[in-house]
Amino acid sequence: MQVDEVLEFVDRSVYAKTGTHLNDLQRGIIEGILKRQKYAEIADNNGCSAGYAKDVGYKLLQMLSDVFDESVNKRNLKSVLERQGNIKIIFNKNKTIDNNMIGYINICSEKPNFIPDKIQSESANFQQESKHQANMETIDKLRQFGLSDEQIAAALNLPLEVIKQI
C-alpha cells in the first residue's frame, strides 16, 4: 500500500462523516505528519506559510478526532490510523526502498494470515454504516430547512420509505 492509499482511506472516512473531501493542503499535512515533519517543512512543501499550515493542521486534527471518535494529534495520528484502518505504518529512516518499502511509508496488514473476505465484509459494513449516518444527518438538516420527505427523497435520490424510516 502506498502513501496515496493511506490518504484515500482518510479521505473516504472524512467524506463518510462530513460529506466533504480533503483538500491538497490537508492531504499534505497528513503526509507530513506521518513523515514526522515540522509545520515549517510541511508549509514549504505545500506552498504556504508555516502559520497557515499550523492553523489548517489544528482544524484538520480536530476534524479527524470527530471522524474517528478519538482524540487525534500530531503525536498519535499514526497509531490512530493504524487502529482505524487495521494497517501498519512503518517508517524507513534510511530513505532507501526495498521490496516492501514504497517511499517512506510501508503499510501492511497487522495480521499476516488475514481473511480477505472478512476484511472486505467489515470494510463494506463500515462504509454502509458511515453512509447511513451521513444520510441521517443530511435528512435532519434538510428537514430543518423545511423540506418535505418527498422533496428530500427526490433531492437525495432515495426511496421515500427510507426517508420516512429516519
PDB file of all heavy atoms in Angstrom, residues 22-59:
ATOM      1  N   LEU A  22     -10.949  15.791   1.541  1.00  0.00           N
ATOM      2  CA  LEU A  22      -9.750  16.512   1.947  1.00  0.00           C
ATOM      3  C   LEU A  22      -9.251  17.359   0.784  1.00  0.00           C
ATOM      4  O   LEU A  22      -9.338  16.949  -0.368  1.00  0.00           O
ATOM      5  CB  LEU A  22      -8.638  15.525   2.334  1.00  0.00           C
ATOM      6  CG  LEU A  22      -8.881  14.635   3.543  1.00  0.00           C
ATOM      7  CD1 LEU A  22      -7.747  13.613   3.673  1.00  0.00           C
ATOM      8  CD2 LEU A  22      -9.008  15.452   4.810  1.00  0.00           C
ATOM      9  N   ASN A  23      -8.717  18.546   1.102  1.00  0.00           N
ATOM     10  CA  ASN A  23      -8.098  19.348   0.046  1.00  0.00           C
ATOM     11  C   ASN A  23      -6.607  19.014  -0.021  1.00  0.00           C
ATOM     12  O   ASN A  23      -6.091  18.228   0.787  1.00  0.00           O
ATOM     13  CB  ASN A  23      -8.360  20.846   0.261  1.00  0.00           C
ATOM     14  CG  ASN A  23      -7.754  21.371   1.550  1.00  0.00           C
ATOM     15  OD1 ASN A  23      -6.659  20.983   1.953  1.00  0.00           O
ATOM     16  ND2 ASN A  23      -8.468  22.280   2.199  1.00  0.00           N
ATOM     17  N   ASP A  24      -5.912  19.602  -0.985  1.00  0.00           N
ATOM     18  CA  ASP A  24      -4.497  19.280  -1.202  1.00  0.00           C
ATOM     19  C   ASP A  24      -3.644  19.589   0.024  1.00  0.00           C
ATOM     20  O   ASP A  24      -2.756  18.818   0.382  1.00  0.00           O
ATOM     21  CB  ASP A  24      -3.950  20.031  -2.414  1.00  0.00           C
ATOM     22  CG  ASP A  24      -4.527  19.529  -3.727  1.00  0.00           C
ATOM     23  OD1 ASP A  24      -5.097  18.410  -3.744  1.00  0.00           O
ATOM     24  OD2 ASP A  24      -4.428  20.243  -4.738  1.00  0.00           O
ATOM     25  N   LEU A  25      -3.896  20.721   0.667  1.00  0.00           N
ATOM     26  CA  LEU A  25      -3.104  21.081   1.843  1.00  0.00           C
ATOM     27  C   LEU A  25      -3.349  20.095   2.986  1.00  0.00           C
ATOM     28  O   LEU A  25      -2.407  19.666   3.650  1.00  0.00           O
ATOM     29  CB  LEU A  25      -3.410  22.516   2.292  1.00  0.00           C
ATOM     30  CG  LEU A  25      -2.659  22.993   3.546  1.00  0.00           C
ATOM     31  CD1 LEU A  25      -1.145  22.847   3.365  1.00  0.00           C
ATOM     32  CD2 LEU A  25      -3.031  24.429   3.874  1.00  0.00           C
ATOM     33  N   GLN A  26      -4.605  19.729   3.207  1.00  0.00           N
ATOM     34  CA  GLN A  26      -4.907  18.762   4.262  1.00  0.00           C
ATOM     35  C   GLN A  26      -4.203  17.429   3.992  1.00  0.00           C
ATOM     36  O   GLN A  26      -3.642  16.815   4.902  1.00  0.00           O
ATOM     37  CB  GLN A  26      -6.418  18.550   4.379  1.00  0.00           C
ATOM     38  CG  GLN A  26      -7.150  19.747   4.937  1.00  0.00           C
ATOM     39  CD  GLN A  26      -8.652  19.615   4.820  1.00  0.00           C
ATOM     40  OE1 GLN A  26      -9.173  19.094   3.836  1.00  0.00           O
ATOM     41  NE2 GLN A  26      -9.361  20.104   5.834  1.00  0.00           N
ATOM     42  N   ARG A  27      -4.202  16.993   2.742  1.00  0.00           N
ATOM     43  CA  ARG A  27      -3.507  15.754   2.376  1.00  0.00           C
ATOM     44  C   ARG A  27      -2.006  15.899   2.627  1.00  0.00           C
ATOM     45  O   ARG A  27      -1.347  14.996   3.143  1.00  0.00           O
ATOM     46  CB  ARG A  27      -3.787  15.383   0.927  1.00  0.00           C
ATOM     47  CG  ARG A  27      -5.254  15.001   0.675  1.00  0.00           C
ATOM     48  CD  ARG A  27      -5.560  14.836  -0.810  1.00  0.00           C
ATOM     49  NE  ARG A  27      -4.985  13.617  -1.351  1.00  0.00           N
ATOM     50  CZ  ARG A  27      -5.627  12.459  -1.425  1.00  0.00           C
ATOM     51  NH1 ARG A  27      -6.870  12.366  -0.976  1.00  0.00           N
ATOM     52  NH2 ARG A  27      -5.043  11.405  -1.935  1.00  0.00           N
ATOM     53  N   GLY A  28      -1.455  17.075   2.277  1.00  0.00           N
ATOM     54  CA  GLY A  28      -0.037  17.333   2.502  1.00  0.00           C
ATOM     55  C   GLY A  28       0.318  17.353   3.977  1.00  0.00           C
ATOM     56  O   GLY A  28       1.394  16.895   4.387  1.00  0.00           O
ATOM     57  N   ILE A  29      -0.584  17.884   4.790  1.00  0.00           N
ATOM     58  CA  ILE A  29      -0.354  17.930   6.241  1.00  0.00           C
ATOM     59  C   ILE A  29      -0.347  16.521   6.812  1.00  0.00           C
ATOM     60  O   ILE A  29       0.529  16.169   7.609  1.00  0.00           O
ATOM     61  CB  ILE A  29      -1.408  18.825   6.926  1.00  0.00           C
ATOM     62  CG1 ILE A  29      -1.145  20.299   6.571  1.00  0.00           C
ATOM     63  CG2 ILE A  29      -1.407  18.612   8.440  1.00  0.00           C
ATOM     64  CD1 ILE A  29      -2.242  21.251   6.975  1.00  0.00           C
ATOM     65  N   ILE A  30      -1.297  15.700   6.412  1.00  0.00           N
ATOM     66  CA  ILE A  30      -1.328  14.314   6.905  1.00  0.00           C
ATOM     67  C   ILE A  30      -0.049  13.592   6.514  1.00  0.00           C
ATOM     68  O   ILE A  30       0.598  12.940   7.345  1.00  0.00           O
ATOM     69  CB  ILE A  30      -2.566  13.567   6.379  1.00  0.00           C
ATOM     70  CG1 ILE A  30      -3.830  14.136   7.010  1.00  0.00           C
ATOM     71  CG2 ILE A  30      -2.455  12.064   6.670  1.00  0.00           C
ATOM     72  CD1 ILE A  30      -5.118  13.662   6.387  1.00  0.00           C
ATOM     73  N   GLU A  31       0.345  13.720   5.249  1.00  0.00           N
ATOM     74  CA  GLU A  31       1.568  13.060   4.789  1.00  0.00           C
ATOM     75  C   GLU A  31       2.777  13.576   5.564  1.00  0.00           C
ATOM     76  O   GLU A  31       3.628  12.802   6.015  1.00  0.00           O
ATOM     77  CB  GLU A  31       1.762  13.289   3.298  1.00  0.00           C
ATOM     78  CG  GLU A  31       2.961  12.567   2.730  1.00  0.00           C
ATOM     79  CD  GLU A  31       3.072  12.682   1.211  1.00  0.00           C
ATOM     80  OE1 GLU A  31       2.157  13.231   0.565  1.00  0.00           O
ATOM     81  OE2 GLU A  31       4.093  12.208   0.686  1.00  0.00           O
ATOM     82  N   GLY A  32       2.858  14.893   5.766  1.00  0.00           N
ATOM     83  CA  GLY A  32       3.969  15.475   6.510  1.00  0.00           C
ATOM     84  C   GLY A  32       4.007  15.010   7.953  1.00  0.00           C
ATOM     85  O   GLY A  32       5.076  14.705   8.495  1.00  0.00           O
ATOM     86  N   ILE A  33       2.856  14.941   8.592  1.00  0.00           N
ATOM     87  CA  ILE A  33       2.806  14.470   9.979  1.00  0.00           C
ATOM     88  C   ILE A  33       3.280  13.030  10.052  1.00  0.00           C
ATOM     89  O   ILE A  33       4.051  12.661  10.946  1.00  0.00           O
ATOM     90  CB  ILE A  33       1.383  14.624  10.558  1.00  0.00           C
ATOM     91  CG1 ILE A  33       1.040  16.100  10.778  1.00  0.00           C
ATOM     92  CG2 ILE A  33       1.258  13.847  11.872  1.00  0.00           C
ATOM     93  CD1 ILE A  33      -0.404  16.362  11.170  1.00  0.00           C
ATOM     94  N   LEU A  34       2.838  12.200   9.122  1.00  0.00           N
ATOM     95  CA  LEU A  34       3.262  10.801   9.124  1.00  0.00           C
ATOM     96  C   LEU A  34       4.766  10.674   8.890  1.00  0.00           C
ATOM     97  O   LEU A  34       5.386   9.721   9.364  1.00  0.00           O
ATOM     98  CB  LEU A  34       2.488  10.005   8.072  1.00  0.00           C
ATOM     99  CG  LEU A  34       1.000   9.807   8.372  1.00  0.00           C
ATOM    100  CD1 LEU A  34       0.313   9.113   7.205  1.00  0.00           C
ATOM    101  CD2 LEU A  34       0.799   9.023   9.659  1.00  0.00           C
ATOM    102  N   LYS A  35       5.362  11.647   8.189  1.00  0.00           N
ATOM    103  CA  LYS A  35       6.806  11.635   7.955  1.00  0.00           C
ATOM    104  C   LYS A  35       7.554  12.373   9.064  1.00  0.00           C
ATOM    105  O   LYS A  35       8.748  12.600   8.955  1.00  0.00           O
ATOM    106  CB  LYS A  35       7.117  12.277   6.599  1.00  0.00           C
ATOM    107  CG  LYS A  35       6.656  11.451   5.420  1.00  0.00           C
ATOM    108  CD  LYS A  35       7.000  12.159   4.116  1.00  0.00           C
ATOM    109  CE  LYS A  35       6.583  11.329   2.927  1.00  0.00           C
ATOM    110  NZ  LYS A  35       6.907  12.007   1.659  1.00  0.00           N
ATOM    111  N   ARG A  36       6.830  12.785  10.109  1.00  0.00           N
ATOM    112  CA  ARG A  36       7.402  13.476  11.278  1.00  0.00           C
ATOM    113  C   ARG A  36       8.027  14.820  10.907  1.00  0.00           C
ATOM    114  O   ARG A  36       9.014  15.243  11.485  1.00  0.00           O
ATOM    115  CB  ARG A  36       8.436  12.601  11.984  1.00  0.00           C
ATOM    116  CG  ARG A  36       7.924  11.265  12.448  1.00  0.00           C
ATOM    117  CD  ARG A  36       7.015  11.443  13.639  1.00  0.00           C
ATOM    118  NE  ARG A  36       6.698  10.153  14.236  1.00  0.00           N
ATOM    119  CZ  ARG A  36       5.478   9.773  14.539  1.00  0.00           C
ATOM    120  NH1 ARG A  36       4.480  10.579  14.338  1.00  0.00           N
ATOM    121  NH2 ARG A  36       5.238   8.596  15.090  1.00  0.00           N
ATOM    122  N   GLN A  37       7.417  15.522   9.951  1.00  0.00           N
ATOM    123  CA  GLN A  37       7.906  16.831   9.543  1.00  0.00           C
ATOM    124  C   GLN A  37       7.326  17.908  10.450  1.00  0.00           C
ATOM    125  O   GLN A  37       6.228  17.758  10.990  1.00  0.00           O
ATOM    126  CB  GLN A  37       7.508  17.130   8.095  1.00  0.00           C
ATOM    127  CG  GLN A  37       8.143  16.218   7.079  1.00  0.00           C
ATOM    128  CD  GLN A  37       7.617  16.460   5.661  1.00  0.00           C
ATOM    129  OE1 GLN A  37       6.554  17.035   5.472  1.00  0.00           O
ATOM    130  NE2 GLN A  37       8.374  15.999   4.678  1.00  0.00           N
ATOM    131  N   LYS A  38       8.050  18.995  10.588  1.00  0.00           N
ATOM    132  CA  LYS A  38       7.563  20.172  11.305  1.00  0.00           C
ATOM    133  C   LYS A  38       6.640  20.941  10.359  1.00  0.00           C
ATOM    134  O   LYS A  38       6.706  20.803   9.141  1.00  0.00           O
ATOM    135  CB  LYS A  38       8.737  21.063  11.713  1.00  0.00           C
ATOM    136  CG  LYS A  38       9.771  20.367  12.569  1.00  0.00           C
ATOM    137  CD  LYS A  38       9.533  20.674  13.990  1.00  0.00           C
ATOM    138  CE  LYS A  38      10.641  20.076  14.849  1.00  0.00           C
ATOM    139  NZ  LYS A  38      10.159  19.403  15.982  1.00  0.00           N
ATOM    140  N   TYR A  39       5.783  21.803  10.942  1.00  0.00           N
ATOM    141  CA  TYR A  39       4.857  22.562  10.108  1.00  0.00           C
ATOM    142  C   TYR A  39       5.597  23.457   9.111  1.00  0.00           C
ATOM    143  O   TYR A  39       5.109  23.686   8.002  1.00  0.00           O
ATOM    144  CB  TYR A  39       3.897  23.391  10.964  1.00  0.00           C
ATOM    145  CG  TYR A  39       2.721  22.584  11.459  1.00  0.00           C
ATOM    146  CD1 TYR A  39       2.530  22.355  12.816  1.00  0.00           C
ATOM    147  CD2 TYR A  39       1.799  22.052  10.567  1.00  0.00           C
ATOM    148  CE1 TYR A  39       1.448  21.610  13.273  1.00  0.00           C
ATOM    149  CE2 TYR A  39       0.715  21.314  11.004  1.00  0.00           C
ATOM    150  CZ  TYR A  39       0.550  21.095  12.369  1.00  0.00           C
ATOM    151  OH  TYR A  39      -0.522  20.362  12.795  1.00  0.00           O
ATOM    152  N   ALA A  40       6.777  23.967   9.450  1.00  0.00           N
ATOM    153  CA  ALA A  40       7.535  24.806   8.521  1.00  0.00           C
ATOM    154  C   ALA A  40       7.900  24.016   7.264  1.00  0.00           C
ATOM    155  O   ALA A  40       7.785  24.517   6.136  1.00  0.00           O
ATOM    156  CB  ALA A  40       8.793  25.342   9.197  1.00  0.00           C
ATOM    157  N   GLU A  41       8.320  22.767   7.437  1.00  0.00           N
ATOM    158  CA  GLU A  41       8.667  21.929   6.291  1.00  0.00           C
ATOM    159  C   GLU A  41       7.425  21.541   5.495  1.00  0.00           C
ATOM    160  O   GLU A  41       7.443  21.544   4.259  1.00  0.00           O
ATOM    161  CB  GLU A  41       9.401  20.672   6.771  1.00  0.00           C
ATOM    162  CG  GLU A  41       9.994  19.850   5.673  1.00  0.00           C
ATOM    163  CD  GLU A  41      10.815  18.679   6.181  1.00  0.00           C
ATOM    164  OE1 GLU A  41      11.049  18.571   7.399  1.00  0.00           O
ATOM    165  OE2 GLU A  41      11.211  17.850   5.335  1.00  0.00           O
ATOM    166  N   ILE A  42       6.335  21.238   6.194  1.00  0.00           N
ATOM    167  CA  ILE A  42       5.072  20.917   5.521  1.00  0.00           C
ATOM    168  C   ILE A  42       4.623  22.122   4.694  1.00  0.00           C
ATOM    169  O   ILE A  42       4.197  21.983   3.552  1.00  0.00           O
ATOM    170  CB  ILE A  42       3.990  20.515   6.550  1.00  0.00           C
ATOM    171  CG1 ILE A  42       4.359  19.187   7.222  1.00  0.00           C
ATOM    172  CG2 ILE A  42       2.618  20.428   5.892  1.00  0.00           C
ATOM    173  CD1 ILE A  42       3.478  18.828   8.420  1.00  0.00           C
ATOM    174  N   ALA A  43       4.747  23.320   5.280  1.00  0.00           N
ATOM    175  CA  ALA A  43       4.355  24.552   4.581  1.00  0.00           C
ATOM    176  C   ALA A  43       5.205  24.758   3.333  1.00  0.00           C
ATOM    177  O   ALA A  43       4.673  25.092   2.264  1.00  0.00           O
ATOM    178  CB  ALA A  43       4.484  25.748   5.518  1.00  0.00           C
ATOM    179  N   ASP A  44       6.517  24.564   3.438  1.00  0.00           N
ATOM    180  CA  ASP A  44       7.398  24.707   2.272  1.00  0.00           C
ATOM    181  C   ASP A  44       6.996  23.755   1.162  1.00  0.00           C
ATOM    182  O   ASP A  44       6.980  24.125  -0.012  1.00  0.00           O
ATOM    183  CB  ASP A  44       8.858  24.436   2.660  1.00  0.00           C
ATOM    184  CG  ASP A  44       9.465  25.573   3.467  1.00  0.00           C
ATOM    185  OD1 ASP A  44       8.912  26.695   3.454  1.00  0.00           O
ATOM    186  OD2 ASP A  44      10.507  25.329   4.115  1.00  0.00           O
ATOM    187  N   ASN A  45       6.659  22.523   1.533  1.00  0.00           N
ATOM    188  CA  ASN A  45       6.282  21.514   0.534  1.00  0.00           C
ATOM    189  C   ASN A  45       4.927  21.800  -0.110  1.00  0.00           C
ATOM    190  O   ASN A  45       4.629  21.277  -1.176  1.00  0.00           O
ATOM    191  CB  ASN A  45       6.250  20.121   1.164  1.00  0.00           C
ATOM    192  CG  ASN A  45       7.616  19.641   1.584  1.00  0.00           C
ATOM    193  OD1 ASN A  45       8.627  20.086   1.062  1.00  0.00           O
ATOM    194  ND2 ASN A  45       7.662  18.732   2.536  1.00  0.00           N
ATOM    195  N   ASN A  46       4.102  22.613   0.570  1.00  0.00           N
ATOM    196  CA  ASN A  46       2.749  22.864   0.074  1.00  0.00           C
ATOM    197  C   ASN A  46       2.518  24.316  -0.326  1.00  0.00           C
ATOM    198  O   ASN A  46       1.377  24.699  -0.605  1.00  0.00           O
ATOM    199  CB  ASN A  46       1.726  22.427   1.131  1.00  0.00           C
ATOM    200  CG  ASN A  46       1.675  20.932   1.272  1.00  0.00           C
ATOM    201  OD1 ASN A  46       1.044  20.255   0.470  1.00  0.00           O
ATOM    202  ND2 ASN A  46       2.363  20.386   2.272  1.00  0.00           N
ATOM    203  N   GLY A  47       3.571  25.127  -0.335  1.00  0.00           N
ATOM    204  CA  GLY A  47       3.467  26.490  -0.840  1.00  0.00           C
ATOM    205  C   GLY A  47       2.618  27.420  -0.004  1.00  0.00           C
ATOM    206  O   GLY A  47       1.831  28.196  -0.542  1.00  0.00           O
ATOM    207  N   CYS A  48       2.749  27.346   1.314  1.00  0.00           N
ATOM    208  CA  CYS A  48       2.011  28.261   2.190  1.00  0.00           C
ATOM    209  C   CYS A  48       2.906  28.613   3.371  1.00  0.00           C
ATOM    210  O   CYS A  48       4.008  28.098   3.507  1.00  0.00           O
ATOM    211  CB  CYS A  48       0.699  27.629   2.646  1.00  0.00           C
ATOM    212  SG  CYS A  48       0.895  26.169   3.690  1.00  0.00           S
ATOM    213  N   SER A  49       2.426  29.489   4.235  1.00  0.00           N
ATOM    214  CA  SER A  49       3.212  29.872   5.406  1.00  0.00           C
ATOM    215  C   SER A  49       3.085  28.807   6.492  1.00  0.00           C
ATOM    216  O   SER A  49       2.106  28.057   6.536  1.00  0.00           O
ATOM    217  CB  SER A  49       2.733  31.217   5.953  1.00  0.00           C
ATOM    218  OG  SER A  49       1.456  31.070   6.563  1.00  0.00           O
ATOM    219  N   ALA A  50       4.072  28.767   7.366  1.00  0.00           N
ATOM    220  CA  ALA A  50       4.057  27.801   8.469  1.00  0.00           C
ATOM    221  C   ALA A  50       2.855  28.052   9.386  1.00  0.00           C
ATOM    222  O   ALA A  50       2.222  27.107   9.857  1.00  0.00           O
ATOM    223  CB  ALA A  50       5.359  27.861   9.256  1.00  0.00           C
ATOM    224  N   GLY A  51       2.535  29.311   9.613  1.00  0.00           N
ATOM    225  CA  GLY A  51       1.396  29.641  10.464  1.00  0.00           C
ATOM    226  C   GLY A  51       0.087  29.140   9.882  1.00  0.00           C
ATOM    227  O   GLY A  51      -0.764  28.605  10.601  1.00  0.00           O
ATOM    228  N   TYR A  52      -0.074  29.329   8.574  1.00  0.00           N
ATOM    229  CA  TYR A  52      -1.298  28.865   7.924  1.00  0.00           C
ATOM    230  C   TYR A  52      -1.383  27.341   7.958  1.00  0.00           C
ATOM    231  O   TYR A  52      -2.436  26.776   8.264  1.00  0.00           O
ATOM    232  CB  TYR A  52      -1.353  29.378   6.475  1.00  0.00           C
ATOM    233  CG  TYR A  52      -2.621  29.003   5.765  1.00  0.00           C
ATOM    234  CD1 TYR A  52      -3.843  29.584   6.118  1.00  0.00           C
ATOM    235  CD2 TYR A  52      -2.619  28.055   4.747  1.00  0.00           C
ATOM    236  CE1 TYR A  52      -5.015  29.237   5.477  1.00  0.00           C
ATOM    237  CE2 TYR A  52      -3.795  27.703   4.096  1.00  0.00           C
ATOM    238  CZ  TYR A  52      -4.985  28.291   4.466  1.00  0.00           C
ATOM    239  OH  TYR A  52      -6.143  27.933   3.837  1.00  0.00           O
ATOM    240  N   ALA A  53      -0.258  26.678   7.683  1.00  0.00           N
ATOM    241  CA  ALA A  53      -0.243  25.208   7.727  1.00  0.00           C
ATOM    242  C   ALA A  53      -0.580  24.718   9.129  1.00  0.00           C
ATOM    243  O   ALA A  53      -1.316  23.738   9.295  1.00  0.00           O
ATOM    244  CB  ALA A  53       1.114  24.670   7.283  1.00  0.00           C
ATOM    245  N   LYS A  54      -0.073  25.405  10.134  1.00  0.00           N
ATOM    246  CA  LYS A  54      -0.339  25.010  11.525  1.00  0.00           C
ATOM    247  C   LYS A  54      -1.820  25.196  11.861  1.00  0.00           C
ATOM    248  O   LYS A  54      -2.434  24.336  12.497  1.00  0.00           O
ATOM    249  CB  LYS A  54       0.533  25.822  12.480  1.00  0.00           C
ATOM    250  CG  LYS A  54       0.517  25.332  13.894  1.00  0.00           C
ATOM    251  CD  LYS A  54       1.549  26.053  14.736  1.00  0.00           C
ATOM    252  CE  LYS A  54       1.589  25.458  16.126  1.00  0.00           C
ATOM    253  NZ  LYS A  54       2.645  26.067  16.943  1.00  0.00           N
ATOM    254  N   ASP A  55      -2.405  26.315  11.415  1.00  0.00           N
ATOM    255  CA  ASP A  55      -3.837  26.558  11.655  1.00  0.00           C
ATOM    256  C   ASP A  55      -4.703  25.501  10.971  1.00  0.00           C
ATOM    257  O   ASP A  55      -5.627  24.956  11.570  1.00  0.00           O
ATOM    258  CB  ASP A  55      -4.252  27.948  11.148  1.00  0.00           C
ATOM    259  CG  ASP A  55      -3.681  29.080  11.994  1.00  0.00           C
ATOM    260  OD1 ASP A  55      -3.239  28.814  13.134  1.00  0.00           O
ATOM    261  OD2 ASP A  55      -3.666  30.220  11.502  1.00  0.00           O
ATOM    262  N   VAL A  56      -4.400  25.220   9.703  1.00  0.00           N
ATOM    263  CA  VAL A  56      -5.156  24.206   8.964  1.00  0.00           C
ATOM    264  C   VAL A  56      -4.945  22.833   9.604  1.00  0.00           C
ATOM    265  O   VAL A  56      -5.877  22.047   9.737  1.00  0.00           O
ATOM    266  CB  VAL A  56      -4.764  24.197   7.470  1.00  0.00           C
ATOM    267  CG1 VAL A  56      -5.404  23.026   6.734  1.00  0.00           C
ATOM    268  CG2 VAL A  56      -5.170  25.516   6.811  1.00  0.00           C
ATOM    269  N   GLY A  57      -3.701  22.560  10.021  1.00  0.00           N
ATOM    270  CA  GLY A  57      -3.397  21.283  10.667  1.00  0.00           C
ATOM    271  C   GLY A  57      -4.171  21.099  11.957  1.00  0.00           C
ATOM    272  O   GLY A  57      -4.691  20.011  12.235  1.00  0.00           O
ATOM    273  N   TYR A  58      -4.277  22.160  12.752  1.00  0.00           N
ATOM    274  CA  TYR A  58      -5.030  22.082  14.007  1.00  0.00           C
ATOM    275  C   TYR A  58      -6.494  21.750  13.731  1.00  0.00           C
ATOM    276  O   TYR A  58      -7.069  20.848  14.357  1.00  0.00           O
ATOM    277  CB  TYR A  58      -4.913  23.416  14.759  1.00  0.00           C
ATOM    278  CG  TYR A  58      -5.745  23.463  16.016  1.00  0.00           C
ATOM    279  CD1 TYR A  58      -5.325  22.819  17.177  1.00  0.00           C
ATOM    280  CD2 TYR A  58      -6.958  24.138  16.044  1.00  0.00           C
ATOM    281  CE1 TYR A  58      -6.088  22.851  18.335  1.00  0.00           C
ATOM    282  CE2 TYR A  58      -7.728  24.170  17.190  1.00  0.00           C
ATOM    283  CZ  TYR A  58      -7.289  23.531  18.336  1.00  0.00           C
ATOM    284  OH  TYR A  58      -8.058  23.561  19.470  1.00  0.00           O
ATOM    285  N   LYS A  59      -7.091  22.453  12.771  1.00  0.00           N
ATOM    286  CA  LYS A  59      -8.502  22.194  12.430  1.00  0.00           C
ATOM    287  C   LYS A  59      -8.675  20.786  11.855  1.00  0.00           C
ATOM    288  O   LYS A  59      -9.655  20.107  12.138  1.00  0.00           O
ATOM    289  CB  LYS A  59      -9.004  23.236  11.429  1.00  0.00           C
ATOM    290  CG  LYS A  59      -9.144  24.612  12.034  1.00  0.00           C
ATOM    291  CD  LYS A  59      -9.538  25.644  10.998  1.00  0.00           C
ATOM    292  CE  LYS A  59      -9.545  27.034  11.597  1.00  0.00           C
ATOM    293  NZ  LYS A  59      -9.737  28.075  10.596  1.00  0.00           N
TER     294      LYS A  59
END
